Amino acid sequence: MSKRIVKVYPRFERVWHWTQMALIFVLLFTGLGMNGVHSLLPFGPAVIFHTIAAMLLLVLWIFATFWLFTTGTWKQFIPRIEGMIQVARFYALGVFKGEKHPYRKVYWRKHNPLQAATYFVVKWMIFPAVWVSGLFYLTYNLWEDSAIAATLLVVMANVHLLAAYVVAAFVVAHVYLLTIGRGFRHHVKPMVTGYEEVDLTPEQEAYLEANEPERLKPRNA
């Protein structure tokens, strides 16, 4: 295998990432305000901004889900057991000893086993919990006369809050992990430019050079 600088993050994926980041920040900020954690924004405007950001994020995720399955990118988020213990050990101990990351990023597998497992849980379990509970909130007037309305509202409120705190913890951990190894700038740059150094098999390199040369940077670049 040879190392080449390849465009592994297409434009849509980068736009999706940064737009999602901005909307999640708005949701966390307004959500914390609505729950009395801060008073930087009045309750009424916080509800309005929270709802608008949630709807925009829902639309973005609908487009993203369509893109994931039509391009086959969804396979990147399927967890694998192989290598997970080594990666977990690296983040728990190895990083503090200056050890080299055990995972070698390859063209068809951008995420290491621990990343893939984390993204899988967040995208397919935590985010759906946020949406289902949030939509129950928004449609409360449609089922408020139900015999279990009061109980269901409490359950949905707690599910929504718990899932939101899990997302907040994920964001904190995500930003922290960007600071280790080669540093924050090195890890963030690929999500800005789209290019990252990965290992390519001879077959993959030949395919890209013949069919998608624009995705490869020259060796001396």
Side-chain angles (χ1 to χ4, degrees):
M1 300 184 77
S2 61
K3 288 187 177 295
R4 294 293 302 270
I5 299 178
V6 185
K7 180 177 280 188
V8 295
Y9 300 105
R11 183 178 301 171
F12 176 80
E13 190 168 2
R14 286 175 281 144
V15 171
W16 166 30
H17 176 272
W18 294 114
T19 305
Q20 177 177 258
M21 180 203 72
L23 292 173
I24 287 178
F25 175 81
V26 173
L27 288 168
L28 290 174
F29 178 77
T30 54
L32 290 171
M34 290 158 57
N35 281 276
V37 176
H38 66 77
S39 56
L40 299 175
L41 192 65
F43 184 82
V47 172
I48 294 174
F49 286 127
H50 194 83
T51 303
I52 292 174
M55 292 299 99
L56 290 174
L57 189 55
L58 180 59
V59 172
L60 177 63
W61 278 348
I62 290 173
F63 277 105
T65 301
F66 176 78
W67 178 81
L68 284 171
F69 283 97
T70 55
T71 62
T73 310
W74 63 272
K75 298 175 184 178
Q76 298 276 355
F77 299 96
I78 300 299
R80 294 187 308 175
I81 301 298
E82 181 183 357
M84 188 174 294
I85 294 177
Q86 291 85 342
V87 173
R89 181 196 171 279
F90 169 78
Y91 285 126
L93 297 172
V95 67
F96 302 108
K97 298 179 179 180
E99 296 179 5
K100 187 177 180 180
H101 200 297
Y103 182 72
R104 296 176 62 190
K105 185 170 291 189
V106 294
Y107 180 59
W108 299 115
R109 194 74 182 180
K110 295 179 286 189
H111 306 303
N112 67 54
L114 194 58
Q115 281 179 314
T118 302
Y119 291 146
F120 182 86
V121 171
V122 170
K123 291 179 181 296
W124 306 114
M125 298 180 188
I126 304 302
F127 282 162
V130 172
W131 282 117
V132 170
S133 56
L135 289 173
F136 264 97
Y137 260 126
L138 289 176
T139 59
Y140 176 69
N141 62 314
L142 299 178
W143 51 272
E144 60 180 331
D145 295 328
S146 170
I148 62 170
T151 301
L152 186 58
L153 183 62
V154 172
V155 171
M156 289 297 104
N158 283 283
V159 168
H160 195 74
L161 189 60
L162 178 61
Y165 278 122
V166 172
V167 172
F170 167 78
V171 171
V172 172
H174 186 62
V175 173
Y176 165 71
L177 291 176
L178 291 175
T179 65
I180 66 176
R182 297 186 182 180
F184 186 83
R185 183 177 179 181
H186 172 82
H187 292 305
V188 172
K189 186 178 179 181
M191 195 51 73
V192 175
T193 65
Y195 288 94
E196 188 166 15
E197 186 178 70
V198 299
D199 288 329
L200 293 178
T201 64
E203 293 78 14
Q204 290 170 347
E205 189 172 12
Y207 170 82
L208 290 173
E209 288 179 341
N211 299 281
E212 301 179 67
E214 70 282 354
R215 299 189 67 174
L216 286 172
K217 277 196 173 184
R219 290 184 181 276
N220 57 353

